[in-house]
Amino acid sequence: MDQQLPEKPVDLQQDAFVQSMRRKRNCWDNAAIESFFIRLKVELIYANEYKQVTDVYKDVFEYIEVFYNRIRRHSANEYISPVDYETNFYAQNA
């Protein structure tokens, strides 16, 4: 699974992307994703000893799709899973 970098720099505005960091030294923009990655490492990666990359891919997929999105409660979502939060949101705003 080799990924090649683009030959020229990507123009974020032209390609309709929104840049994550809006201001210099604003560390809070990435807080949610940094929290996710530390939980992923602690709860999954560091707890296992992988011998093949395919096992890592499978476990990360299961962690995100089965555990993290459907079971794990999130403080930012009123201590319910993201799937339950989204279901409640659409039910209330239908």
Side-chain angles (χ1 to χ4, degrees), residues 87-94:
T87 302
N88 293 346
F89 175 82
Y90 286 119
Q92 292 172 0
N93 294 300

Side-chain angles (χ1 to χ4, degrees), residues 55-72:
D55 294 335
V56 177
Y57 290 151
K58 181 181 72 66
D59 282 359
V60 168
F61 178 83
E62 286 180 12
Y63 177 84
I64 294 170
E65 290 299 324
V66 177
F67 175 69
Y68 195 84
N69 286 341
R70 301 179 191 284
I71 298 170
R72 188 175 189 280

Side-chain angles (χ1 to χ4, degrees), residues 22-53:
R22 298 197 204 335
R23 297 180 304 270
K24 289 183 180 180
R25 297 188 180 114
N26 184 352
C27 62
W28 303 113
D29 281 350
N30 289 326
I33 197 65
E34 287 176 12
S35 176
F36 165 77
F37 278 115
I38 194 65
R39 297 295 359 129
L40 174 70
K41 290 176 186 177
V42 168
E43 294 174 355
L44 180 71
I45 303 300
Y46 298 154
N48 293 292
E49 192 172 311
Y50 292 103
K51 300 206 184 297
Q52 296 194 5
V53 173

